[in-house]
Amino acid sequence: MQRAGRLVLGAGALLLAACGSTSDATAPHSSATSEPTPRFSHVFVVVEENRDYETVIDGHAMPYLDSLAGQYGLATEYHADTHPSIGNYFMLTVGDVVTNDDAFGGTVTADNIVRELVAAGRTWKSYDEDLPFAGYTGGSRGRYARSHNPMSYLSDVVDDPAQRQNLVPLTQLGADLKGNALPDYGFIVPDMCDDAHNCPPATADAWLRLHIAPLISSAAFQDNGLLIIVFDEATHDDGTGGGGRVAWVEVSPRSKRGYRSGAPYGHESTLRLTAEGLGLARFPGTAAAASNMAEFFTGP
């Protein structure tokens, strides 16, 4: 279930949208609908770190990300679920916070996106910058943070040698693009500098342009892909009882262009979108009761 704090804020956001009060009167706005979510051939999630919505949208800090938000879809009332990072990564993949301990070293046995992908015969990879080697499930090293790699905790991965090999260094993304071997689902994690955690937003923006622009322009993605770029949590608590208001941008050939929504969403809705968009039968954890995000797309 969504937190009460988010529901209160969401009601206000919906009222503002209904009354036509927006930050950009020239862009289309709407609230959530019950329309069916389109099916996508490939779904990718890129997670950036620890920046408030106002820092990276409609400003000068991340011009490439801002350009994608202007061309495709932007959720203007999207809120993270918790502080610090790790619980938000689990919400994006498990549908539950699981823990707020960034030093967590346990194994997560709850239902999760990998379990549902494998059950449906779908392929997946977690592309992690600075991961020491494919299949690595050990602790943080250098600029690689294990707490940002939720798949490395899942029993479905840790206990299965074949699935562990889907934990790969970021360099594999370029190879998969060239080899026309993209998975159905990809979770893409920059390192602690390139995700804006320890470095300026401009560094993260340059990283997106270098690594994500080629993905967007690829024939495989342009055929029927979906990319989501989202921040795990905000720098400042905005009083909603969760992780603060963050940027959420979607890119797809199925996108309503220049679309902005003031409906309330969170990481559980992103998890639902990724599962629903790939036609999975079940949505893990709180994703099952989360609002769908079909309003951002054209057609079922």
Side-chain angles (χ1 to χ4, degrees), residues 95-110:
D96 187 80
V97 168
V98 178
T99 180
N100 282 319
D101 179 7
D102 272 346
F104 176 71
T107 300
V108 177
T109 59

Side-chain angles (χ1 to χ4, degrees), residues 27 82 102 154 205 229 234 245:
T82 190
D102 272 346
L154 305 180
D205 201 54
I229 302 171
R245 182 179 178 225

Side-chain angles (χ1 to χ4, degrees), residues 50-277:
N50 291 38
R51 298 288 168 174
D52 299 333
Y53 175 96
E54 295 82 0
T55 301
V56 297
I57 297 296
D58 295 334
H60 303 289
M62 298 187 71
Y64 177 67
L65 178 62
D66 215 18
S67 72
L68 294 177
Q71 294 176 64
Y72 297 96
L74 172 68
T76 64
E77 291 295 339
Y78 186 103
H79 288 74
D81 289 84
T82 190
H83 295 294
S85 295
I86 193 168
N88 294 297
Y89 284 85
F90 281 133
M91 189 61 78
L92 286 163
T93 52
V94 179
D96 187 80
V97 168
V98 178
T99 180
N100 282 319
D101 179 7
D102 272 346
F104 176 71
T107 300
V108 177
T109 59
D111 190 18
N112 58 79
I113 189 67
V114 169
R115 186 174 301 174
E116 298 305 326
L117 287 164
V118 172
R122 294 288 199 165
T123 59
W124 71 276
K125 282 181 181 173
S126 179
Y127 298 95
D128 302 281
E129 190 171 27
D130 293 341
L131 188 76
F133 53 82
Y136 179 77
T137 58
S140 301
R141 283 194 187 181
R143 300 200 309 193
Y144 163 74
R146 189 189 184 194
S147 60
H148 298 173
N149 183 7
M151 276 58 163
S152 73
Y153 298 93
L154 305 180
S155 59
D156 307 77
V157 177
V158 175
D159 298 336
D160 188 326
Q163 297 302 326
R164 283 203 301 271
Q165 293 307 302
N166 290 322
L167 303 174
V168 297
L170 178 67
T171 51
Q172 187 63 44
L173 179 60
D176 288 348
L177 269 172
K178 291 180 181 178
N180 195 27
L182 291 173
D184 299 322
Y185 174 94
F187 198 82
I188 304 175
V189 183
D191 67 27
M192 289 283 283
C193 177
D194 290 328
D195 64 6
H197 187 284
N198 293 342
C199 295
T203 301
D205 201 54
W207 184 94
L208 288 171
R209 190 184 296 274
L210 177 64
H211 294 282
I212 301 305
L215 172 64
I216 293 172
S217 63
S218 69
F221 184 86
Q222 285 299 317
D223 179 53
N224 188 27
L226 169 64
L227 167 71
I228 297 161
I229 302 171
V230 62
F231 283 74
D232 72 322
E233 60 178 322
T235 306
H236 301 98
D237 186 358
D238 59 4
T240 64
R245 182 179 178 225
V246 295
W248 182 96
V249 176
E250 62 81 13
V251 179
S252 174
R254 305 288 294 276
S255 300
K256 295 176 184 176
R257 296 307 178 98
Y259 188 81
R260 292 190 173 198
S261 171
Y265 292 117
H267 293 324
E268 55 271 34
S269 289
T270 294
L271 176 55
R272 182 185 180 104
L273 172 59
T274 57
E276 203 166 22

